[in-house]
Amino acid sequence: DQQVKQNSPSLSVQEGRISILNCDYTNSMFDYFLWYKKYPAEGPTFLISISSIKDKNEDGRFTVFLNKSAKHLSLHIVPSQPGDSAVYFCAAYPNYGGVTNKLIFGTGTLLAVQP
Amino acid sequence: AAGVIQSPRHLIKEKRETATLKCYPIPRHDTVYWYQQGPGQDPQFLISFYEKMQSDKGSIPDRFSAQQFSDYHSELNMSSLELGDSALYFCASSSLGGGRSDTQYFGPGTRLTVL
């Protein structure tokens, strides 16, 4: 049962344009979300996170939006650069009332930024 | 900045052999996590340790065991290897005891191939 879903396996964008990566989740106990970028043969690199008490968090070219009622979040990259080409994973922490450790990952979206 | 170190980066083993993967967390990080990523899959949580004690457990086979040592490095021991154990194994570390809102930083991974 995939609790975090990234329905677009791939996305192609022109350099300088906006990239929008989407993520949906099913578990209402998720209360903290992270985006990671992953290049081949490397580990995931943390990009940006958002708590469920917020609906937006911005860091440079990266902005994450959270719509709790729709159980949906998105990552916006503006402007997109060729070096952004990678697999992007959405991940979530569930809140079961205590300390939680495990990240639940989405299936990933391969972003290709065309020069 | 120092990152998570994993060794070896690549490992080839025969069926029924054993393997030991090592993880050295970012300095002053007290929590270590292990994830397994099969081909075309998202990373799946295996196990985590906080201050040398197991703090959470995921879908880790009984054939696998892990521990965190006094210097905070961790080792994942895998016995009776099966073909299906072939995967990328990521280690991550964090500094807040693995609580909610904790950011996990990932190592480059160990690619295990079982022949």
Side-chain angles (χ1 to χ4, degrees):
Chain A
D1 179 30
Q2 192 72 32
Q3 298 184 68
V4 180
K5 301 177 184 178
Q6 295 175 253
N7 292 321
S8 297
S10 63
L11 175 68
S12 182
V13 173
Q14 287 295 121
E15 181 178 5
R17 298 289 189 100
I18 182 172
S19 295
I20 300 176
L21 298 110
N22 293 303
C23 177
D24 297 292
Y25 60 96
T26 58
N27 191 336
S28 58
M29 298 300 290
F30 290 155
D31 70 345
Y32 196 78
F33 303 89
L34 305 90
W35 283 94
Y36 285 86
K37 177 172 74 173
K38 185 179 180 303
Y39 294 117
E42 294 185 13
T45 301
F46 170 72
L47 280 176
I48 193 169
S49 60
I50 188 166
S51 166
S52 59
I53 62 174
K54 295 185 176 182
D55 55 16
K56 177 183 174 181
N57 189 26
E58 191 172 353
D59 184 2
R61 297 186 297 115
F62 302 94
T63 303
V64 56
F65 295 91
L66 175 62
N67 183 334
K68 279 186 64 178
S69 60
K71 294 191 179 69
H72 177 83
L73 63 157
S74 60
L75 174 68
H76 293 209
I77 306 174
V78 182
S80 300
Q81 300 172 354
D84 295 329
S85 298
V87 176
Y88 288 78
F89 286 100
C90 171
Y93 274 123
N95 174 11
Y96 293 127
V99 171
T100 182
N101 273 254
K102 54 187 170 189
L103 278 173
I104 310 297
F105 281 88
T107 48
T109 296
L110 175 61
L111 173 66
V113 180
Q114 310 297 333
Chain B
V4 176
I5 296 172
Q6 290 187 248
S7 69
R9 292 294 308 274
H10 302 272
L11 189 58
I12 299 175
K13 290 286 186 178
E14 300 277 342
K15 279 174 53 178
R16 291 180 289 278
E17 285 191 321
T18 61
T20 297
L21 310 185
K22 297 185 179 182
C23 169
Y24 298 87
I26 292 172
R28 290 179 294 281
H29 279 196
D30 52 19
T31 309
V32 169
Y33 315 76
W34 287 97
Y35 291 84
Q36 177 192 59
Q37 185 180 23
Q41 299 180 0
D42 49 292
Q44 295 290 318
F45 173 76
L46 291 177
I47 196 167
S48 62
F49 293 88
Y50 168 60
E51 285 292 344
K52 291 148 280 184
M53 299 287 289
Q54 181 182 307
S55 51
D56 201 355
K57 194 172 181 180
S59 51
I60 183 170
D62 292 340
R63 300 176 289 109
F64 294 6
S65 64
Q67 58 181 322
Q68 185 180 31
F69 296 86
S70 57
D71 64 352
Y72 294 101
H73 94 272
S74 178
E75 294 184 4
L76 177 66
N77 298 294
M78 311 158 71
S79 62
S80 303
L81 287 170
E82 302 174 356
L83 295 178
D85 296 330
S86 295
L88 266 171
Y89 290 83
F90 291 107
C91 172
S93 72
S94 68
S95 61
L96 296 177
R100 291 163 36 220
S101 308
D102 199 9
T103 297
Q104 297 181 22
Y105 295 89
F106 284 77
T110 294
R111 180 171 292 282
L112 172 66
T113 302
V114 181
L115 302 175

